[in-house]
Amino acid sequence: AGIAFWLVLMARAIFPALLAPNGQDKNLLALLTSSVVCIGLFYGTGLFYGERTHISVMEYWRWWVVHLWVEGFFEVFATTALAFIFSTLGLVSYRMATAASLASASLFMLGGVPGTFHHLYFSGTTTPVMAVGASFSALEVVPLVVLGHEAWEHWSLQHKATWMKNLKWPLMCFVAVAFWNMLGAGV
């Protein structure tokens, strides 16, 4: 019931914006909406096993949920959410925000599962397979880092707009998210 409540709230806010005939490009809003819906569907797979399910089946699905969340869903959601915020505030162009979000989603679709291969060390996976996994995993943070760099460059021009001084700490938090994501997931 709680999930349905949040979906209704989200739908009430997003569908009027998607259906408005103002002629503005709605790709970024559609990407944000789909990433949020996909997260809910993704975690919904956790409802397919219960207390009588064998531990090996539960651990298999737990591993996939945890690692696909880290290797892909979070990257797409974080990039799209920050792109939406940055473009709304004028820190990045709408075109740049949409391109970064599409790049993140494309990298996830292309390398989400191979990106988990670097975790297979203890199962005896060969070095080339783990290298492929590490490469895809490191590539997944690139769109968010590029977006954070673009926002940082615009932030350096803050003395030209008084409203940016009022939003200093929230904006610095978002730029820090991009930096720490690059350091933690990319490096």
Side-chain angles (χ1 to χ4, degrees):
I3 293 172
F5 172 75
W6 289 109
L7 285 174
V8 168
L9 278 179
M10 188 180 91
R12 285 186 56 182
I14 289 178
F15 285 139
L18 283 172
L19 300 175
N22 60 1
Q24 185 179 358
D25 186 16
K26 297 178 177 82
N27 290 329
L28 188 60
L29 183 59
L31 280 167
L32 178 63
T33 304
S34 62
S35 70
V36 170
V37 168
C38 285
I39 287 172
L41 292 173
F42 177 66
Y43 276 110
T45 61
L47 301 174
F48 289 115
Y49 54 83
E51 63 185 44
R52 300 197 193 284
T53 306
H54 194 272
I55 187 76
S56 62
V57 174
M58 288 191 310
E59 283 298 306
Y60 175 79
W61 286 109
R62 182 200 59 82
W63 191 88
W64 276 107
V65 166
V66 168
H67 288 92
L68 283 180
W69 167 255
V70 171
E71 302 297 333
F73 278 101
F74 175 74
E75 297 297 335
V76 175
F77 171 72
T79 302
T80 307
L82 288 180
F84 189 78
I85 291 169
F86 286 164
S87 67
T88 302
L89 294 175
L91 288 174
V92 297
S93 68
Y94 195 80
R95 186 180 180 113
M96 169 63 179
T98 303
S101 298
L102 283 172
S104 180
S106 298
L107 280 170
F108 169 65
M109 293 297 190
L110 178 68
V113 173
T116 63
F117 290 168
H118 68 276
H119 293 285
L120 301 179
Y121 176 77
F122 294 108
S123 64
T125 302
T126 61
T127 303
V129 171
M130 286 189 303
V132 167
S135 299
F136 276 108
S137 185
L139 280 175
E140 290 169 356
V141 300
V142 171
L144 184 58
V145 170
V146 169
L147 190 66
H149 183 268
E150 177 98 0
W152 177 258
E153 284 182 352
H154 283 98
W155 173 258
S156 64
L157 303 172
Q158 69 177 333
H159 60 277
K160 294 187 178 188
T162 56
W163 64 268
M164 289 180 84
K165 292 177 183 169
N166 296 333
L167 296 175
K168 176 182 179 180
W169 293 112
L171 292 175
M172 293 304 287
C173 175
F174 294 141
V175 171
V177 164
F179 172 77
W180 288 110
N181 190 27
M182 181 268 308
L183 189 67
V187 175

